[in-house]
């Protein structure tokens, strides 16, 4: 029964008002009789074909070609350059720097900054997480009430020979203190042609059916970029390389094992992404779990920036935005 499935989804979160929200949750998550047993990771929605649903259910990811218009992508690129070169203020956004350039001076902002996070309120970049054609697909995984939880523009630089431009194998759920995982999805859009030469994403198909693994910094000789946690023991498992064209968007589950290779070219490789969650999701306490290390790191970074008295969950509450439907919990 759908009611029983909702209890399973929300039960481990310690809900105190579960009975009162069951009918609403069943409706908003798109559950109906006869389909909940067949599909676990997608919801009834005509946007996805039956074959697409089956592919995502089995593999944990789905690429939609040519979803985002080139002119919008070019506008996002120009905004990124304006931000990293100091032509406009970054406000509450976070600029992450490449570890290979520690102590180096006289290089461009584009070369230094490998990622901008938390652009959910930026007047230009936030357009990506509100694109109707993206949200139409997101709704197939989250339901109609959608929160944009985590936004990133990733700028993978040409690797200087240190392999520091790669991203270790990881699961995005490691960074998120909200559940259930099946109502979270990432939309990751290629801002140019991406392949094995410039460090495309690689995924382990079907790994979304597993569990959240412990994450820590890999023991790389030349260092690891800040918060690039990874899992151990999966280096030799078969991977699928996701070569993509400009404007293609891949949607993937937060437990899917994935990473990216080093950029062997002399050009920057950019992508823009947003993690979405059903607003019916709820925050969990990660103390005493494998996520405690990332929680402490995020809280410490916030304190260094003058943000006091906010814990891991509080910091997530202030970085999200309702982009469709109504806000329920998050």
């Amino acid at each position: 029964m759908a009611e029983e499935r909702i209890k399973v989804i929300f039960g481990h979160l310690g809900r105190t008002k579960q009975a009162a929200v069951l009918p609403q949750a069943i409706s908003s998550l798109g559950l109906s009789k006869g389909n909940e047993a067949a599909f676990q990771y997608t919801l009834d929605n005509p946007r996805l074909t039956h074959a697409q649903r089956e592919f995502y259910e089995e593999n944990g990811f789905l690429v939609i070609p040519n979803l985002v218009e080139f002119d919008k992508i070019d506008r996002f690129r120009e905004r990124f350059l304006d931000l990293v070169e100091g032509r406009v203020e970054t406000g509450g956004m976070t600029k992450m720097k490449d570890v290979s350039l520690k102590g180096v001076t006289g290089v461009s902002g584009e070369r230094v900054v490998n990622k901008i996070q938390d652009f959910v309120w930026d007047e230009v970049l936030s357009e990506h997480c509100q694109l109707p054609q993206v949200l139409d697909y997101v709704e197939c995984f989250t339901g109609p009430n959608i929160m944009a939880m985590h936004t990133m523009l990733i700028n993978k630089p040409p690797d200087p020979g240190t392999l520091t431009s790669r991203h270790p194998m990881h699961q995005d759920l490691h960074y998120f203190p909200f559940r259930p995982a099946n109502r979270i999805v990432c939309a990751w859009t290629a801002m140019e042609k991406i392949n094995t030469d410039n460090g495309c994403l690689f995924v382990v198909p079907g790994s979304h059916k597993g569990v959240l693994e412990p994450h820590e910094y890999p023991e790389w000789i030349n260092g690891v970029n800040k918060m690039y946690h990874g899992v151990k023991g999966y280096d030799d498992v078969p991977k699928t390389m996701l070569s993509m064209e400009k404007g293609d968007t891949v949607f993937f589950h937060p437990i899917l094992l994935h990473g990216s290779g080093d950029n062997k070219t002399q050009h920057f490789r950019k992508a823009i992404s947003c993690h979405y969650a059903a607003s019916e999701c709820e925050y969990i306490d990660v103390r005493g779990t494998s996520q405690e290390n990332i929680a402490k790191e995020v809280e410490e970074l916030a304190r260094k920036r003058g943000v006091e008295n906010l814990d891991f969950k509080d910091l997530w509450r202030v970085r999200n935005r309702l982009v469709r439907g109504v806000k329920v919990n998050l």
Side-chain angles (χ1 to χ4, degrees), residues 9 17 29 72 86 106 113 138 173 177 185 238 276:
I9 291 174
K17 298 181 289 183
L29 292 179
K72 294 187 183 300
V113 179
V138 169
L173 192 67
V185 71
Y276 300 90

Side-chain angles (χ1 to χ4, degrees), residues 278-290:
S279 74
E280 292 86 356
C281 290
E282 287 197 347
Y283 290 102
I284 64 167
D285 189 349
V286 302
R287 289 176 296 182
T289 74
S290 65

Side-chain angles (χ1 to χ4, degrees), residues 20-278:
V21 302
L22 278 176
Q24 178 184 359
I26 290 169
S27 174
S28 64
L29 292 179
L31 301 179
S32 60
K33 290 183 179 180
N35 75 338
E36 65 270 19
F39 294 108
Q40 181 178 355
Y41 306 104
T42 58
L43 303 171
D44 281 345
N45 188 303
R47 177 65 56 176
L48 291 183
T49 66
H50 188 82
Q52 287 174 323
R53 290 189 72 179
E54 287 187 326
F55 185 91
Y56 188 90
E57 293 282 330
E58 180 62 26
N59 295 283
F61 70 95
L62 179 67
V63 178
I64 304 298
N66 198 30
L67 186 62
V68 179
E69 300 92 333
F70 286 9
D71 62 332
K72 294 187 183 300
I73 291 174
D74 294 341
R75 187 164 176 251
F76 300 152
R77 182 190 303 275
E78 289 305 311
R79 182 63 168 183
F80 173 82
L81 293 175
D82 285 343
L83 289 165
V84 300
E85 301 297 347
R87 293 190 285 267
V88 294
E89 293 295 326
T90 55
M93 290 177 277
T94 300
K95 292 191 291 188
M96 308 293 285
K97 298 182 179 181
D98 189 78
V99 67
S100 69
L101 294 178
K102 186 177 182 179
V104 176
T105 59
V107 295
S108 68
E110 185 181 21
R111 183 64 184 86
V112 172
V113 179
N114 65 6
K115 186 185 298 182
I116 281 188
Q117 296 186 159
D118 306 323
F119 58 71
V120 72
W121 294 105
D122 181 74
E123 61 185 78
V124 177
L125 296 181
S126 66
E127 184 180 354
H128 175 263
C129 59
Q130 300 177 81
L131 289 172
Q133 68 267 37
V134 172
L135 294 178
D136 286 347
Y137 278 99
V138 169
E139 194 168 325
C140 302
F141 309 101
T142 64
N145 301 319
I146 307 172
M147 302 293 294
M149 300 298 295
H150 185 220
T151 47
M152 296 189 298
L153 195 156
I154 306 109
N155 176 50
K156 187 184 285 288
D159 196 277
T162 59
L163 298 180
T164 50
S165 65
R166 58 186 165 161
H167 198 138
M169 182 89 77
H170 64 284
Q171 299 163 301
D172 289 341
L173 192 67
H174 170 67
Y175 298 91
F176 303 153
F178 43 90
R179 302 290 190 275
N182 290 350
R183 298 286 76 85
I184 303 169
V185 71
C186 179
W188 193 99
T189 300
M191 295 179 65
E192 54 215 308
K193 185 179 180 64
I194 295 178
N195 52 34
T196 54
D197 289 336
N198 59 8
C200 65
L201 286 179
F202 55 78
V203 300
V204 179
S207 58
H208 66 301
K209 300 175 185 178
V211 299
L212 179 60
E213 302 283 352
H215 287 60
E216 58 188 64
Y217 282 111
E219 297 173 356
W220 289 353
I221 295 175
N222 295 300
V224 185
N225 285 312
K226 191 70 173 175
M227 296 190 184
Y228 276 31
H229 293 191
V231 298
K232 291 186 176 182
Y234 288 91
D235 291 341
D236 298 327
V237 300
K239 306 174 183 68
T240 295
M241 301 295 173
L242 297 186
S243 294
M244 298 167 65
E245 298 292 334
K246 181 177 179 178
D248 292 356
T249 300
V250 59
F251 296 87
F252 60 91
H253 191 279
I255 295 182
L256 183 76
L257 286 162
H258 67 286
S260 64
D262 57 309
N263 182 358
K264 304 178 185 68
T265 74
Q266 295 305 306
H267 306 284
F268 296 93
R269 189 228 74 182
K270 292 181 176 62
I272 187 168
S273 71
C274 180
H275 283 87
Y276 300 90

